[in-house]
Amino acid sequence: MTKKKEAFELSIVPGWIHAEEARDHTSSGTEAGWRVDLPCPQLAPEERAEIIEHFTDDPLELNALLKNHLPAWLDERISPKHSPEAAKAECRCGDAGCKHVPAVIQAAEQKLQEEPLLWLTLIGLSREELLDAVFRGWAETMPEAAESSDDEALGRLEEKGKTGPSAGEWLAEAAEQGKLHEPGAGYRDIAFHLNAKPEGEPRIDNWTPLLPNVKAVQQVVAQLTSETAAKAWEDLSGKQDPQSRRKERR
């Protein structure tokens, strides 16, 4: 007769995998059940820097990681050195032939394969730390003209993060939900109804302060605006029904 598989609660934190016997909340017993503590080696500073640098240089790999796809280079170069140390595992049950440790290792390995970001947390690099470092690296590559405003915006995000989610958490959630490149909820509810072609040239705001390093910026913006307006009117006219076009000709 096969023994029923024991249920347990699994907890994965930096440096440790913990598991303990699932207790029935209706039980009145006070005796503690079994508990397994399984250590895991942590990343060295140079290994952390290597991982961050890779994801900073390759946004597509970062996006894949957020979708639970572990890059091959990370699996080959980092994973073997940072596997849970089964030989150092301890179980509170005290049995010489303890079966809890192998069961916990098997469950943990499956969990970590399904969630690579959780594995990074286990070896000492949480999702929030990784994303914050990557986004900071991207900000440092911005042109000088935009650097001050980016630093101010980042400072505001960090200040706000003291009382709520960090910038990395917000961006991570947005990336996982596919919202980094999607318009807002009300975007498709906006509609324009142009019944007559505006007279005169389109009004052009002064873009020179915004683009100080672009030569003849006003002329470039004016040309783009005029060409875009002409194309938009051409497309709009082509979509009008025959009756509307007859009225326009009259």
Side-chain angles (χ1 to χ4, degrees):
M1 181 176 178
T2 304
K3 184 179 180 181
K4 183 178 179 181
K5 191 174 182 179
E6 292 189 65
F8 55 87
E9 297 175 356
L10 186 67
S11 173
I12 298 176
V13 297
W16 290 92
I17 296 173
H18 302 297
E20 58 184 13
E21 181 182 4
R23 308 285 288 178
D24 186 349
H25 69 279
T26 61
S27 175
S28 58
T30 58
E31 184 179 351
W34 61 265
R35 174 187 171 95
V36 169
D37 298 304
L38 177 62
C40 185
Q42 298 292 277
L43 290 167
E46 58 272 16
E47 291 174 322
R48 288 171 56 93
E50 179 186 2
I51 293 173
I52 292 170
E53 182 180 2
H54 265 87
F55 287 117
T56 301
D57 294 338
D58 197 335
L60 292 179
E61 278 199 350
L62 178 62
N63 183 56
L65 180 67
L66 292 172
K67 295 180 179 179
N68 293 325
H69 297 293
L70 184 67
W73 65 267
L74 191 57
D75 189 29
E76 294 171 359
R77 295 166 60 180
I78 305 296
S79 181
K81 297 184 293 182
H82 296 281
S83 298
E85 298 177 305
K88 296 182 180 180
E90 295 181 359
C91 183
R92 187 185 293 170
C93 73
D95 294 341
C98 175
K99 303 295 184 182
H100 302 133
V101 171
V104 169
I105 292 177
Q106 182 180 2
E109 287 179 346
Q110 182 177 348
K111 182 73 172 176
L112 296 174
Q113 287 177 0
E114 294 172 352
E115 301 182 35
L117 281 167
L118 186 59
W119 172 67
L120 283 178
T121 297
L122 172 65
I123 63 178
L125 182 59
S126 70
R127 182 184 74 169
E128 291 74 20
E129 291 173 324
L130 171 63
L131 292 176
D132 282 342
V134 169
F135 295 140
R136 189 177 298 277
W138 289 347
E140 290 173 355
T141 63
M142 295 293 289
E144 280 189 16
E147 188 173 349
S148 59
S149 60
D150 285 340
D151 287 345
E152 291 172 4
L154 184 59
R156 287 194 296 270
L157 286 173
E158 290 177 341
E159 185 65 28
K160 190 171 183 178
K162 293 178 182 178
T163 57
S166 68
E169 290 177 296
W170 292 335
L171 291 169
E173 292 295 335
E176 289 177 339
Q177 297 172 16
K179 293 181 178 178
L180 286 182
H181 59 281
E182 287 290 333
Y187 176 80
R188 294 180 178 83
D189 297 333
I190 300 174
F192 292 94
H193 301 285
L194 301 179
N195 297 320
K197 183 177 181 180
E199 296 181 359
E201 291 295 323
R203 180 178 176 275
I204 307 298
D205 294 327
N206 184 13
W207 284 62
T208 304
L210 298 175
L211 302 169
N213 298 324
V214 179
K215 295 181 180 179
V217 62
Q218 283 301 102
Q219 292 87 331
V220 173
V221 173
Q223 181 180 353
L224 290 174
T225 303
S226 298
E227 292 178 356
T228 302
K231 183 65 169 62
W233 182 254
E234 180 183 343
D235 292 344
L236 179 64
S237 298
K239 294 177 181 179
Q240 289 180 331
D241 55 59
Q243 184 177 0
S244 298
R245 289 199 293 269
R246 284 198 298 271
K247 289 181 180 178
E248 182 182 333
R249 287 195 295 270
R250 292 177 186 174

